[in-house]
Amino acid sequence: MHGLKAIVLAAGLALAGGMAQAQTAPAAPEAVAATPADAPAATAPADAAAPAAAPAAATVADPTLNADGTPKTAPVPGIGMPVDKKLGVQPQVTALGASAARFHDYILLPIITAISIFVLILLGWTIVRYRRKANPVPSKTSHNTMIEIVWTAVPVLILAFIAWPSIALLAKQFKPAPENAITIKAIGNQWYWSYEYPDHGGISITANMLKEKSEVQAGQRFRTDADGPRLLAVDNRIVVPVGVPVRLIATANDVIHSWAVPAFWIKMDAIPGRLNETSFTVDKPGVYFGQCSELCGARHAYMPIVVEAVEPAVFAQWIAAKGGTMPAANKPSSAAPAQPGSDAADDTATPANGTVPAGNDTVDATAAGATTNQAATGNTDQ
């Protein structure tokens, strides 16, 4: 009897175990499916996980801006900008500008003043001496050989005296930039400026005039005293290094503009289909203002130019912050027109023989010019 009970009990336990195994079997695929997802994390080598764990490369901060986007360097009143009731040219920060200012102040201005005073005295003396009451019988003298020689020879000598420093100054203004110059391309548009740094990774900047606080909506950027004077401040300044020659190439997309900064003694026409070139070297750090100086349309007065001159190390950091790279030292620029010595220079490059090859280099004057409907921050009507 006891043997029969033992057999029945063993059979019941075996049956219960089989049923339990059958009930738990469907859960197995979930556990198996989860295993491959966890396995790589457990078995992958340490170096395989490194790329995912490595932090993103830190971006270089713009050294010319504060954390809120406002400029760190504010303009100095009277330097690089016009001043109310001020006489004379602006203080110059380039060697060319200083030479031109001396020519104006110490040669042209004294000569003009002396001639004006002499002519005024001569007119006064003629009015008094030869009035009807003092000279009732007019003289009939028609020629005076000595006077005619004097009034012909003296102006010729004055012009010859002025010509020598004037021509020398003009030659310096258009002297080709040295090999260590950085190249900036200024492009005039109706009505804002855009800039390119072709030798620094192709950096592009668009500069629009900043409006006054009362002219913008809440939350939009407006002009402050740190940005510059009214009608002269921009949202994006261009940056140049102090003591390094700058090669400026000017052109335009629509009509004739003119890139002019009085403190640099620069005024270069920007003409569609043409590349005009000049160079300058800024001697002092600071912020310098200019404007388009060629009548270019309804909003011609709202195309300001702002240049911030910084130390070379700061300039390199600014280039990095804009995503660019510094070119090799003393490498001639390959930006068109390429400098002599550059790999891109050829027999037609400036300042070679200037021969223009035949082909499609002629600008079609009948073609429609490039236009823009950009909603510029400072160039849209209210």
Side-chain angles (χ1 to χ4, degrees):
M1 186 70 178
H2 291 287
L4 181 60
K5 289 182 177 179
I7 294 172
V8 172
L9 181 60
L13 291 176
L15 181 62
M19 293 177 62
Q21 184 177 3
Q23 293 176 353
T24 58
E30 295 182 4
V32 173
T35 301
D38 297 335
T43 59
D47 57 350
T59 58
V60 179
D62 190 329
T64 65
L65 299 178
N66 295 313
D68 59 355
T70 57
K72 290 183 179 179
T73 304
V76 178
I79 303 297
M81 69 174 72
V83 179
D84 291 342
K85 301 178 182 179
K86 175 72 173 179
L87 297 177
V89 299
Q90 292 185 15
Q92 298 297 303
V93 294
T94 65
L96 177 66
S99 177
R102 288 192 298 269
F103 177 51
H104 172 272
D105 294 341
Y106 302 121
I107 297 180
L108 293 182
L109 196 58
I111 291 176
I112 293 172
T113 303
I115 292 175
S116 300
I117 293 175
F118 172 73
V119 172
L120 182 62
I121 293 175
L122 189 61
L123 285 174
W125 179 77
T126 302
I127 293 171
V128 174
R129 173 64 181 80
Y130 296 102
R131 72 187 190 278
R132 178 177 296 180
K133 183 176 181 180
N135 189 37
V137 181
S139 171
K140 296 183 179 181
T141 303
S142 60
H143 295 282
N144 187 303
T145 303
M146 181 55 66
I147 291 178
E148 291 183 358
I149 292 175
V150 169
W151 76 32
T152 301
V154 171
V156 170
L157 294 175
I158 293 174
L159 291 176
F161 177 73
I162 295 175
W164 177 74
S166 178
I167 294 175
L169 182 64
L170 188 64
K172 292 178 182 177
Q173 186 170 352
F174 292 97
K175 182 179 179 181
E179 291 184 354
N180 64 330
I182 68 167
T183 299
I184 299 178
K185 187 176 182 180
I187 306 168
N189 307 272
Q190 289 181 317
W191 290 271
Y192 63 96
W193 289 96
S194 55
Y195 301 92
E196 297 176 0
Y197 288 72
D199 298 329
H200 294 79
I203 297 173
S204 297
I205 297 173
T206 299
N208 293 286
M209 188 191 75
L210 287 174
K211 294 183 178 181
E212 299 300 299
K213 185 177 182 180
S214 60
E215 299 174 342
V216 301
Q217 298 178 356
Q220 291 185 347
R221 186 182 174 191
F222 54 87
R223 185 195 67 84
T224 64
D225 291 339
D227 292 304
R230 178 179 174 269
L231 300 181
L232 288 179
V234 298
D235 53 358
N236 291 307
R237 298 173 177 176
I238 63 169
V239 179
V240 301
V242 172
V244 177
V246 177
R247 176 177 176 244
L248 178 71
I249 300 174
T251 188
N253 279 331
D254 33 51
V255 298
I256 298 177
H257 301 274
S258 183
W259 199 88
V261 178
F264 299 167
W265 205 267
I266 291 292
K267 181 182 181 298
M268 176 63 63
D269 281 351
I271 304 173
R274 183 183 181 90
L275 298 177
N276 286 336
E277 178 182 333
T278 188
S279 63
F280 60 90
T281 304
V282 183
D283 297 332
K284 300 177 182 178
V287 183
Y288 306 100
F289 297 85
Q291 287 178 301
C292 176
S293 298
E294 193 74 47
L295 189 60
C296 59
R299 299 189 66 81
H300 157 69
Y302 304 97
M303 287 184 63
I305 300 165
V306 185
V307 181
E308 183 172 346
V310 299
E311 295 297 334
V314 178
F315 175 74
Q317 185 179 351
W318 180 81
I319 290 293
K322 296 298 181 181
T325 56
M326 295 296 292
N330 297 326
K331 180 181 179 181
S333 174
S334 59
Q339 287 185 289
S342 170
D343 295 338
D346 57 21
D347 198 36
T348 64
T350 303
N353 58 24
T355 303
V356 179
N360 57 357
D361 301 284
T362 303
V363 177
D364 186 1
T366 63
T371 59
T372 178
N373 58 357
Q374 179 195 19
T377 57
N379 300 331
T380 53
D381 295 324
Q382 295 295 326

